[in-house]
Amino acid sequence: MAVQNETITGWLAWLAAALIGLGLAFALLPVAFLLPATGQDWRLAGDIAQHVVAQRYFIASPWGWPLLVAPTLGAGGTNIALADGIPVLALALKLIAPMGPAGLHGIGIWHAIVVVLQPVAAVWCLRQAGERQLMPAIGVALAAAAMPAWLARHGHAALMGHFLLLLALGTYLRLVRGSSAAVWAWAVALSLLALLTHPYLALMVLALLAAVPVTLLRRNDARWRGAALGTAACVLAVALALATLGYLGAAGEGGYGLYALNLLSPVWPARSALLPLVAAEVDATGMGGWEGYNWLGAGLLAGLVVLALRQRAAVAGAVRRHAGLAIALLALTLIAVSFRVGLGDRVALDLGPPPAILDQFRASGRFFWPVGYAALIGMAVLLARIPRTGPALVLLLGLVQWVDAGPNRAALASWAAQRLPWSVDAAALRPAIAEARTLTILPSWVCIPPEGHATRERVQELLLLASERAVPVNTMQLARWRDPPRCTDAATATAPLAPGELRLVLPEAAGLLGDAPECRPLGGLIACRGPG
């Protein structure tokens, strides 16, 4: 009977988590956002537009090698992993592309996937920790679906894949309890899945898995050797994927420490419904504090306060039993804080230039995300053990967390529902782009000066229009480059037009053309057409 009751409780927990995720997706994400059609009179903007362009070109390209390269996107092709094109989803969609419409992409669908999986993954993680009661499961599902740092990532689709962090944390808990070849195979697959979502997430997943042998070693458990081999297999699989899929060799703009975790960020209630005490994220570097935004939420913080008051011995015991995890979380926190330690509105400690390898982790504040989820699961497990009131308390705290996240949910819903007008004449440009064999956009992305925000926006719009039919184009928006970017627009502008080429020149680059009789105004731009 006890086993039967536990099975029923488990199914109810999964059902509740799935309903929370589905309800949240239904409430926040309009159908037009989930399944956008080409030819619309509105556009996407910002990071999500970059992701859409990358996926469209990759999905429309024939299969080839290197696997993740869209050969007609930008000079020499573009590895969509460097454009945050969520390769794991793009690969799946490419399989069905022949049956799909022109301009197929899955960025809207991905938002729905992560919203649904977030509470489900949290319940799975909780159950791996040994907590199988229904009320704590519902409380954790609510709280995980209301984590501020997760909700605030809308617009950067790949980085909303926090369900991977919860799966990694649950895998750690499963492996320290009892491992097998099958579980380690799952850990390897999870590591690769995280990499093919976003490299930042893969590093966090590997850090959590690497905690397994350390914890077992600290427990004097002989299984630590096998766990070390399993961890090595995960690292090796990711390293091989990095090498073979073209991730290695790409470099960004650097700036480790500019987008770090402020020491006050976890308790700084930016966008809190229950503690509306501050107007914006805390910032010590002058970069706005956005990447370091890690408000834990009123429900989670309240639960941690209760633990500090009533369960200090249990907390200390949990830290000792999971020493490897504690070390991994501390290391991730130190990376997140960076060499420029912000406290409030000032840099309290500057340790000087960091090692060059850390410049790859410019947005270091993200590395605190696993710490927040570990705190959530740990809080729920320990509070649920309080006799009589514990399970209900976890459920109550989940509800508090949910209410507190109201402003973040509203921001996500508003963003998904926005219908931004084109700043270029999309109706005039679409037919010309559709007829072209190749498209050249001037200025190209690398030639736009740092202050050229309006120019970047218009170039991004032209890329969106081109991506509707995946017309081969000369440039692409990237944050990381395999080769140092060079501006060659002057030579490109004066080169003879190729057969079937359409050269679209923004007014700010018109001076590069000189006397070009084959050029005419088109939709507020200058259009130069090659023969044929």
Short mmCIF file of all heavy atoms in Angstrom, two decimals, residues 45-104:
data_model
loop_
_atom_site.label_atom_id
_atom_site.label_comp_id
_atom_site.label_asym_id
_atom_site.label_seq_id
_atom_site.Cartn_x
_atom_site.Cartn_y
_atom_site.Cartn_z
N ALA A 45 13.57 41.74 -32.49
CA ALA A 45 14.71 42.64 -32.32
C ALA A 45 15.61 42.11 -31.22
O ALA A 45 15.20 41.33 -30.36
CB ALA A 45 14.24 44.06 -31.98
N GLY A 46 16.86 42.55 -31.24
CA GLY A 46 17.82 42.18 -30.21
C GLY A 46 18.40 40.80 -30.44
O GLY A 46 18.49 40.31 -31.57
N ASP A 47 18.78 40.15 -29.36
CA ASP A 47 19.44 38.85 -29.45
C ASP A 47 18.58 37.82 -30.16
O ASP A 47 19.08 36.99 -30.92
CB ASP A 47 19.78 38.33 -28.04
CG ASP A 47 20.92 39.10 -27.41
OD1 ASP A 47 21.72 39.69 -28.15
OD2 ASP A 47 21.00 39.10 -26.16
N ILE A 48 17.27 37.86 -29.93
CA ILE A 48 16.41 36.83 -30.51
C ILE A 48 16.41 36.91 -32.03
O ILE A 48 16.32 35.89 -32.73
CB ILE A 48 14.98 36.92 -29.95
CG1 ILE A 48 14.18 35.68 -30.36
CG2 ILE A 48 14.30 38.18 -30.40
CD1 ILE A 48 12.81 35.61 -29.74
N ALA A 49 16.56 38.11 -32.60
CA ALA A 49 16.64 38.24 -34.05
C ALA A 49 17.89 37.55 -34.58
O ALA A 49 17.87 36.89 -35.63
CB ALA A 49 16.63 39.71 -34.44
N GLN A 50 18.99 37.70 -33.86
CA GLN A 50 20.23 37.01 -34.24
C GLN A 50 20.03 35.50 -34.25
O GLN A 50 20.45 34.80 -35.18
CB GLN A 50 21.35 37.39 -33.27
CG GLN A 50 22.66 36.66 -33.50
CD GLN A 50 23.59 36.74 -32.30
OE1 GLN A 50 23.13 36.80 -31.15
NE2 GLN A 50 24.88 36.74 -32.55
N HIS A 51 19.36 34.98 -33.23
CA HIS A 51 19.13 33.54 -33.13
C HIS A 51 18.26 33.04 -34.29
O HIS A 51 18.50 31.97 -34.85
CB HIS A 51 18.44 33.20 -31.81
CG HIS A 51 19.12 33.79 -30.61
ND1 HIS A 51 18.48 33.95 -29.40
CD2 HIS A 51 20.37 34.27 -30.43
CE1 HIS A 51 19.31 34.51 -28.53
NE2 HIS A 51 20.45 34.71 -29.14
N VAL A 52 17.24 33.83 -34.64
CA VAL A 52 16.34 33.44 -35.73
C VAL A 52 17.09 33.39 -37.05
O VAL A 52 16.94 32.44 -37.83
CB VAL A 52 15.15 34.42 -35.80
CG1 VAL A 52 14.38 34.25 -37.11
CG2 VAL A 52 14.22 34.22 -34.62
N VAL A 53 17.89 34.41 -37.32
CA VAL A 53 18.65 34.44 -38.58
C VAL A 53 19.56 33.22 -38.67
O VAL A 53 19.61 32.53 -39.70
CB VAL A 53 19.48 35.74 -38.67
CG1 VAL A 53 20.44 35.67 -39.85
CG2 VAL A 53 18.56 36.94 -38.82
N ALA A 54 20.27 32.92 -37.59
CA ALA A 54 21.19 31.77 -37.61
C ALA A 54 20.44 30.47 -37.87
O ALA A 54 20.86 29.65 -38.70
CB ALA A 54 21.93 31.70 -36.27
N GLN A 55 19.32 30.25 -37.18
CA GLN A 55 18.58 29.01 -37.38
C GLN A 55 18.01 28.90 -38.79
O GLN A 55 18.07 27.84 -39.41
CB GLN A 55 17.46 28.89 -36.34
CG GLN A 55 17.91 28.37 -35.01
CD GLN A 55 16.79 27.66 -34.25
OE1 GLN A 55 15.64 27.62 -34.68
NE2 GLN A 55 17.13 27.10 -33.11
N ARG A 56 17.46 29.98 -39.30
CA ARG A 56 16.85 29.92 -40.64
C ARG A 56 17.89 29.52 -41.70
O ARG A 56 17.62 28.67 -42.55
CB ARG A 56 16.24 31.27 -40.99
CG ARG A 56 14.86 31.49 -40.40
CD ARG A 56 14.37 32.88 -40.71
NE ARG A 56 12.94 33.04 -40.45
CZ ARG A 56 12.31 34.21 -40.44
NH1 ARG A 56 13.01 35.33 -40.68
NH2 ARG A 56 11.03 34.29 -40.20
N TYR A 57 19.05 30.15 -41.66
CA TYR A 57 20.07 29.83 -42.66
C TYR A 57 20.57 28.40 -42.51
O TYR A 57 20.77 27.70 -43.51
CB TYR A 57 21.24 30.82 -42.57
CG TYR A 57 21.05 32.05 -43.41
CD1 TYR A 57 20.42 33.18 -42.89
CD2 TYR A 57 21.48 32.08 -44.72
CE1 TYR A 57 20.24 34.32 -43.66
CE2 TYR A 57 21.31 33.23 -45.51
CZ TYR A 57 20.68 34.33 -44.97
OH TYR A 57 20.50 35.44 -45.75
N PHE A 58 20.75 27.97 -41.27
CA PHE A 58 21.24 26.60 -41.06
C PHE A 58 20.22 25.57 -41.50
O PHE A 58 20.56 24.59 -42.18
CB PHE A 58 21.58 26.40 -39.57
CG PHE A 58 21.99 25.00 -39.23
CD1 PHE A 58 23.24 24.53 -39.59
CD2 PHE A 58 21.12 24.14 -38.58
CE1 PHE A 58 23.63 23.23 -39.30
CE2 PHE A 58 21.49 22.85 -38.28
CZ PHE A 58 22.75 22.39 -38.64
N ILE A 59 18.97 25.79 -41.14
CA ILE A 59 17.93 24.82 -41.49
C ILE A 59 17.74 24.74 -43.00
O ILE A 59 17.48 23.67 -43.56
CB ILE A 59 16.62 25.20 -40.77
CG1 ILE A 59 16.76 24.98 -39.26
CG2 ILE A 59 15.44 24.39 -41.31
CD1 ILE A 59 15.63 25.57 -38.44
N ALA A 60 17.89 25.87 -43.69
CA ALA A 60 17.70 25.89 -45.14
C ALA A 60 18.91 25.37 -45.91
O ALA A 60 18.80 25.11 -47.12
CB ALA A 60 17.39 27.32 -45.59
N SER A 61 20.05 25.20 -45.24
CA SER A 61 21.27 24.75 -45.92
C SER A 61 21.27 23.23 -46.06
O SER A 61 20.70 22.52 -45.23
CB SER A 61 22.51 25.17 -45.12
OG SER A 61 22.56 26.57 -44.98
N PRO A 62 21.93 22.71 -47.08
CA PRO A 62 22.09 21.25 -47.17
C PRO A 62 23.01 20.75 -46.06
O PRO A 62 23.82 21.51 -45.51
CB PRO A 62 22.73 21.05 -48.55
CG PRO A 62 23.39 22.35 -48.85
CD PRO A 62 22.55 23.41 -48.21
N TRP A 63 22.89 19.48 -45.70
CA TRP A 63 23.76 18.91 -44.70
C TRP A 63 25.21 18.93 -45.20
O TRP A 63 25.47 18.70 -46.38
CB TRP A 63 23.36 17.47 -44.39
CG TRP A 63 22.05 17.36 -43.69
CD1 TRP A 63 20.83 17.14 -44.24
CD2 TRP A 63 21.82 17.49 -42.28
NE1 TRP A 63 19.85 17.11 -43.29
CE2 TRP A 63 20.43 17.33 -42.06
CE3 TRP A 63 22.63 17.74 -41.18
CZ2 TRP A 63 19.85 17.40 -40.80
CZ3 TRP A 63 22.06 17.81 -39.92
CH2 TRP A 63 20.69 17.64 -39.73
N GLY A 64 26.11 19.22 -44.30
CA GLY A 64 27.51 19.28 -44.69
C GLY A 64 28.41 19.22 -43.47
O GLY A 64 27.96 18.94 -42.35
N TRP A 65 29.67 19.44 -43.71
CA TRP A 65 30.66 19.43 -42.63
C TRP A 65 31.57 20.64 -42.81
O TRP A 65 31.96 20.92 -43.94
CB TRP A 65 31.47 18.13 -42.66
CG TRP A 65 32.29 17.95 -41.42
CD1 TRP A 65 33.61 18.27 -41.24
CD2 TRP A 65 31.82 17.45 -40.17
NE1 TRP A 65 34.00 18.01 -39.96
CE2 TRP A 65 32.92 17.50 -39.27
CE3 TRP A 65 30.59 16.98 -39.71
CZ2 TRP A 65 32.82 17.08 -37.94
CZ3 TRP A 65 30.50 16.57 -38.39
CH2 TRP A 65 31.60 16.62 -37.53
N PRO A 66 31.88 21.37 -41.76
CA PRO A 66 31.50 21.16 -40.36
C PRO A 66 29.97 21.20 -40.16
O PRO A 66 29.28 21.97 -40.81
CB PRO A 66 32.19 22.30 -39.62
CG PRO A 66 33.30 22.73 -40.51
CD PRO A 66 32.81 22.51 -41.90
N LEU A 67 29.52 20.38 -39.25
CA LEU A 67 28.10 20.10 -39.10
C LEU A 67 27.27 21.33 -38.83
O LEU A 67 26.16 21.48 -39.34
CB LEU A 67 27.90 19.07 -37.98
CG LEU A 67 26.46 18.63 -37.71
CD1 LEU A 67 25.87 17.96 -38.94
CD2 LEU A 67 26.41 17.70 -36.50
N LEU A 68 27.77 22.25 -38.00
CA LEU A 68 26.96 23.37 -37.52
C LEU A 68 27.10 24.63 -38.36
O LEU A 68 26.58 25.68 -37.97
CB LEU A 68 27.32 23.68 -36.06
CG LEU A 68 27.10 22.55 -35.06
CD1 LEU A 68 27.44 23.03 -33.65
CD2 LEU A 68 25.68 22.03 -35.12
N VAL A 69 27.78 24.56 -39.48
CA VAL A 69 28.03 25.75 -40.29
C VAL A 69 26.90 25.98 -41.28
O VAL A 69 26.48 25.06 -41.99
CB VAL A 69 29.38 25.65 -41.02
CG1 VAL A 69 29.53 26.76 -42.06
CG2 VAL A 69 30.52 25.71 -40.02
N ALA A 70 26.40 27.22 -41.32
CA ALA A 70 25.50 27.67 -42.38
C ALA A 70 26.37 28.34 -43.44
O ALA A 70 26.82 29.48 -43.24
CB ALA A 70 24.47 28.65 -41.83
N PRO A 71 26.67 27.68 -44.54
CA PRO A 71 27.72 28.16 -45.45
C PRO A 71 27.40 29.45 -46.18
O PRO A 71 28.31 30.14 -46.64
CB PRO A 71 27.88 27.00 -46.45
CG PRO A 71 26.59 26.25 -46.38
CD PRO A 71 26.10 26.40 -44.98
N THR A 72 26.12 29.82 -46.30
CA THR A 72 25.76 31.02 -47.05
C THR A 72 25.47 32.21 -46.14
O THR A 72 25.02 33.25 -46.62
CB THR A 72 24.54 30.75 -47.93
OG1 THR A 72 23.43 30.35 -47.11
CG2 THR A 72 24.83 29.66 -48.94
N LEU A 73 25.73 32.07 -44.87
CA LEU A 73 25.47 33.16 -43.91
C LEU A 73 26.79 33.83 -43.56
O LEU A 73 27.60 33.29 -42.80
CB LEU A 73 24.79 32.62 -42.66
CG LEU A 73 24.50 33.62 -41.55
CD1 LEU A 73 23.63 34.77 -42.08
CD2 LEU A 73 23.81 32.94 -40.37
N GLY A 74 27.04 35.01 -44.11
CA GLY A 74 28.27 35.71 -43.84
C GLY A 74 29.41 35.20 -44.69
O GLY A 74 29.36 34.10 -45.25
N ALA A 75 30.46 36.00 -44.81
CA ALA A 75 31.62 35.62 -45.60
C ALA A 75 32.27 34.38 -45.00
O ALA A 75 32.66 34.38 -43.83
CB ALA A 75 32.62 36.78 -45.63
N GLY A 76 32.36 33.33 -45.78
CA GLY A 76 32.96 32.09 -45.29
C GLY A 76 32.03 31.22 -44.49
O GLY A 76 32.45 30.16 -44.01
N GLY A 77 30.78 31.62 -44.32
CA GLY A 77 29.83 30.82 -43.54
C GLY A 77 29.88 31.16 -42.06
O GLY A 77 30.81 31.80 -41.58
N THR A 78 28.86 30.72 -41.34
CA THR A 78 28.74 31.01 -39.90
C THR A 78 28.42 29.74 -39.15
O THR A 78 27.49 29.02 -39.51
CB THR A 78 27.63 32.05 -39.65
OG1 THR A 78 28.02 33.30 -40.21
CG2 THR A 78 27.38 32.24 -38.16
N ASN A 79 29.19 29.47 -38.12
CA ASN A 79 28.86 28.40 -37.19
C ASN A 79 27.75 28.91 -36.28
O ASN A 79 27.95 29.87 -35.53
CB ASN A 79 30.09 28.01 -36.37
CG ASN A 79 29.87 26.78 -35.52
OD1 ASN A 79 28.81 26.61 -34.92
ND2 ASN A 79 30.86 25.91 -35.44
N ILE A 80 26.59 28.29 -36.34
CA ILE A 80 25.44 28.83 -35.61
C ILE A 80 25.63 28.79 -34.10
O ILE A 80 24.94 29.50 -33.37
CB ILE A 80 24.13 28.13 -36.00
CG1 ILE A 80 24.14 26.65 -35.61
CG2 ILE A 80 23.85 28.31 -37.47
CD1 ILE A 80 22.77 26.02 -35.67
N ALA A 81 26.56 27.96 -33.63
CA ALA A 81 26.85 27.96 -32.20
C ALA A 81 27.43 29.30 -31.77
O ALA A 81 27.24 29.73 -30.62
CB ALA A 81 27.83 26.84 -31.85
N LEU A 82 28.13 29.99 -32.68
CA LEU A 82 28.71 31.30 -32.36
C LEU A 82 27.68 32.41 -32.48
O LEU A 82 27.97 33.56 -32.15
CB LEU A 82 29.90 31.58 -33.28
CG LEU A 82 31.00 30.51 -33.29
CD1 LEU A 82 32.14 30.93 -34.19
CD2 LEU A 82 31.49 30.23 -31.88
N ALA A 83 26.50 32.08 -32.97
CA ALA A 83 25.41 33.04 -33.06
C ALA A 83 24.27 32.65 -32.12
O ALA A 83 23.15 33.15 -32.28
CB ALA A 83 24.91 33.15 -34.49
N ASP A 84 24.56 31.76 -31.17
CA ASP A 84 23.56 31.31 -30.19
C ASP A 84 22.30 30.79 -30.87
O ASP A 84 21.17 31.07 -30.46
CB ASP A 84 23.21 32.44 -29.22
CG ASP A 84 24.40 32.82 -28.35
OD1 ASP A 84 25.26 31.95 -28.11
OD2 ASP A 84 24.49 34.00 -27.93
N GLY A 85 22.51 29.96 -31.90
CA GLY A 85 21.40 29.42 -32.66
C GLY A 85 20.80 28.15 -32.09
O GLY A 85 20.00 27.50 -32.77
N ILE A 86 21.16 27.77 -30.86
CA ILE A 86 20.64 26.58 -30.18
C ILE A 86 20.78 25.36 -31.11
O ILE A 86 19.80 24.83 -31.62
CB ILE A 86 19.19 26.74 -29.72
CG1 ILE A 86 18.96 28.11 -29.08
CG2 ILE A 86 18.80 25.64 -28.74
CD1 ILE A 86 17.54 28.38 -28.65
N PRO A 87 22.01 24.90 -31.33
CA PRO A 87 22.23 23.82 -32.31
C PRO A 87 21.39 22.58 -32.08
O PRO A 87 20.95 21.95 -33.04
CB PRO A 87 23.73 23.52 -32.14
CG PRO A 87 24.32 24.81 -31.69
CD PRO A 87 23.28 25.42 -30.80
N VAL A 88 21.14 22.21 -30.81
CA VAL A 88 20.38 20.97 -30.57
C VAL A 88 18.98 21.06 -31.16
O VAL A 88 18.46 20.09 -31.72
CB VAL A 88 20.33 20.66 -29.05
CG1 VAL A 88 19.53 21.69 -28.27
CG2 VAL A 88 19.76 19.27 -28.83
N LEU A 89 18.37 22.23 -31.09
CA LEU A 89 17.05 22.42 -31.67
C LEU A 89 17.14 22.58 -33.19
O LEU A 89 16.32 22.03 -33.93
CB LEU A 89 16.38 23.65 -31.06
CG LEU A 89 15.00 24.01 -31.58
CD1 LEU A 89 14.00 22.90 -31.28
CD2 LEU A 89 14.51 25.33 -30.99
N ALA A 90 18.14 23.32 -33.66
CA ALA A 90 18.30 23.53 -35.10
C ALA A 90 18.53 22.21 -35.83
O ALA A 90 18.01 21.99 -36.93
CB ALA A 90 19.44 24.50 -35.36
N LEU A 91 19.31 21.31 -35.22
CA LEU A 91 19.56 20.01 -35.84
C LEU A 91 18.26 19.21 -35.97
O LEU A 91 18.02 18.56 -36.99
CB LEU A 91 20.59 19.23 -35.02
CG LEU A 91 22.04 19.73 -35.11
CD1 LEU A 91 22.88 19.11 -34.00
CD2 LEU A 91 22.64 19.41 -36.47
N ALA A 92 17.45 19.25 -34.93
CA ALA A 92 16.17 18.52 -34.98
C ALA A 92 15.25 19.11 -36.04
O ALA A 92 14.60 18.38 -36.80
CB ALA A 92 15.50 18.57 -33.61
N LEU A 93 15.18 20.44 -36.12
CA LEU A 93 14.31 21.07 -37.10
C LEU A 93 14.80 20.85 -38.53
O LEU A 93 13.99 20.78 -39.46
CB LEU A 93 14.20 22.57 -36.80
CG LEU A 93 13.44 22.94 -35.53
CD1 LEU A 93 13.50 24.44 -35.29
CD2 LEU A 93 11.98 22.48 -35.61
N LYS A 94 16.10 20.75 -38.68
CA LYS A 94 16.64 20.53 -40.03
C LYS A 94 16.18 19.19 -40.59
O LYS A 94 16.02 19.04 -41.80
CB LYS A 94 18.16 20.61 -39.99
CG LYS A 94 18.82 20.66 -41.36
CD LYS A 94 20.26 21.12 -41.25
CE LYS A 94 20.89 21.29 -42.61
NZ LYS A 94 22.16 22.01 -42.56
N LEU A 95 15.95 18.23 -39.72
CA LEU A 95 15.48 16.92 -40.17
C LEU A 95 14.08 17.01 -40.79
O LEU A 95 13.75 16.24 -41.69
CB LEU A 95 15.46 15.94 -39.00
CG LEU A 95 16.82 15.54 -38.43
CD1 LEU A 95 16.65 14.74 -37.14
CD2 LEU A 95 17.63 14.75 -39.45
N ILE A 96 13.27 17.94 -40.30
CA ILE A 96 11.90 18.05 -40.81
C ILE A 96 11.74 19.24 -41.75
O ILE A 96 10.63 19.54 -42.19
CB ILE A 96 10.89 18.17 -39.66
CG1 ILE A 96 11.12 19.46 -38.87
CG2 ILE A 96 10.97 16.96 -38.74
CD1 ILE A 96 10.02 19.75 -37.86
N ALA A 97 12.85 19.93 -42.06
CA ALA A 97 12.76 21.14 -42.89
C ALA A 97 12.07 20.92 -44.22
O ALA A 97 11.30 21.79 -44.66
CB ALA A 97 14.16 21.70 -43.11
N PRO A 98 12.28 19.77 -44.91
CA PRO A 98 11.59 19.61 -46.20
C PRO A 98 10.07 19.65 -46.10
O PRO A 98 9.39 19.95 -47.08
CB PRO A 98 12.08 18.23 -46.67
CG PRO A 98 13.40 18.04 -46.00
CD PRO A 98 13.25 18.69 -44.66
N MET A 99 9.56 19.36 -44.91
CA MET A 99 8.10 19.39 -44.72
C MET A 99 7.61 20.71 -44.16
O MET A 99 6.41 20.92 -44.01
CB MET A 99 7.68 18.25 -43.79
CG MET A 99 8.02 16.87 -44.31
SD MET A 99 7.57 15.57 -43.11
CE MET A 99 8.85 15.83 -41.86
N GLY A 100 8.54 21.60 -43.80
CA GLY A 100 8.17 22.84 -43.16
C GLY A 100 8.10 24.01 -44.13
O GLY A 100 8.46 23.89 -45.30
N PRO A 101 7.64 25.16 -43.67
CA PRO A 101 7.52 26.34 -44.52
C PRO A 101 8.87 27.01 -44.73
O PRO A 101 9.83 26.75 -43.99
CB PRO A 101 6.57 27.24 -43.71
CG PRO A 101 6.87 26.87 -42.29
CD PRO A 101 7.17 25.40 -42.30
N ALA A 102 8.95 27.91 -45.70
CA ALA A 102 10.14 28.72 -45.87
C ALA A 102 10.32 29.61 -44.63
O ALA A 102 9.35 30.08 -44.04
CB ALA A 102 10.02 29.58 -47.12
N GLY A 103 11.55 29.82 -44.26
CA GLY A 103 11.81 30.65 -43.08
C GLY A 103 11.58 29.94 -41.77
O GLY A 103 11.42 30.58 -40.72
N LEU A 104 11.59 28.61 -41.78
CA LEU A 104 11.35 27.83 -40.56
C LEU A 104 12.42 28.12 -39.51
O LEU A 104 13.61 28.17 -39.81
CB LEU A 104 11.35 26.34 -40.89
CG LEU A 104 11.25 25.36 -39.71
CD1 LEU A 104 9.88 25.46 -39.05
CD2 LEU A 104 11.52 23.94 -40.19
#
